[in-house]
Amino acid sequence: MTTTQQLDLALINGYLEVLDLEVIQQMLDLYRQQSILYLTAISAAIDETNDKTWQEQCHKMKGAAASAGLCQVHQKLIAIEKTTEAWQVRADHLSALALLNQQAIDTFKQWLDAQ
């Protein structure tokens, strides 16, 4: 996937206009740490078959992904946040989300390295 598909470059370049690269790196590091917590909580929601926790954690991660400029992660979370699909289907969504999230973080790191 290309950088423009993964990242909201208008948002991130806007950050770059007012923030140091180091601050943007810290922002990405914080997002990465938080996303691990969100993914763990979403997984727990699946284990507990808890719709409320599923929606709450997807919603939180959706906002964080948008703030970090991770377009495809944000779009995936929009698509699955309010799903009522079977829990096995949700587990599949979680696997896809985790992979997409890691790809987006890697793409963001590459973008940072190129600055």
Side-chain angles (χ1 to χ4, degrees):
M1 283 176 228
T2 66
T3 301
T4 55
Q5 292 173 319
Q6 285 281 0
L7 305 178
D8 180 346
L9 290 176
L11 176 70
I12 296 169
N13 282 318
Y15 289 155
L16 191 55
E17 289 176 16
V18 294
L19 300 172
D20 247 351
L21 272 177
E22 184 177 319
V23 173
I24 297 172
Q25 177 65 57
Q26 290 171 354
M27 185 179 80
L28 178 60
D29 291 343
L30 179 61
Y31 171 81
R32 185 188 52 74
Q33 293 166 11
Q34 278 301 126
S35 71
I36 292 168
L37 299 176
Y38 295 137
L39 292 168
T40 300
I42 293 167
S43 179
I46 292 169
D47 294 342
E48 299 163 6
T49 62
N50 187 321
D51 283 314
K52 183 177 182 214
T53 301
W54 169 273
Q55 287 186 7
E56 286 173 352
Q57 296 304 313
C58 285
H59 183 77
K60 288 178 184 178
M61 188 173 179
K62 178 180 73 173
S67 294
L70 306 183
C71 298
Q72 289 184 337
V73 174
H74 181 248
Q75 289 302 314
K76 176 70 173 174
L77 286 155
I78 288 171
I80 67 172
E81 176 183 1
K82 297 184 190 276
T83 189
T84 56
E85 294 173 299
W87 289 102
Q88 181 53 54
V89 175
R90 294 187 210 195
D92 294 342
H93 284 309
L94 176 59
S95 295
L97 175 63
L99 178 61
L100 192 61
N101 190 60
Q102 188 57 55
Q103 291 170 339
I105 290 169
D106 292 345
T107 300
F108 199 140
K109 284 179 186 174
Q110 290 170 357
W111 180 87
L112 277 171
D113 291 343
Q115 299 310 304

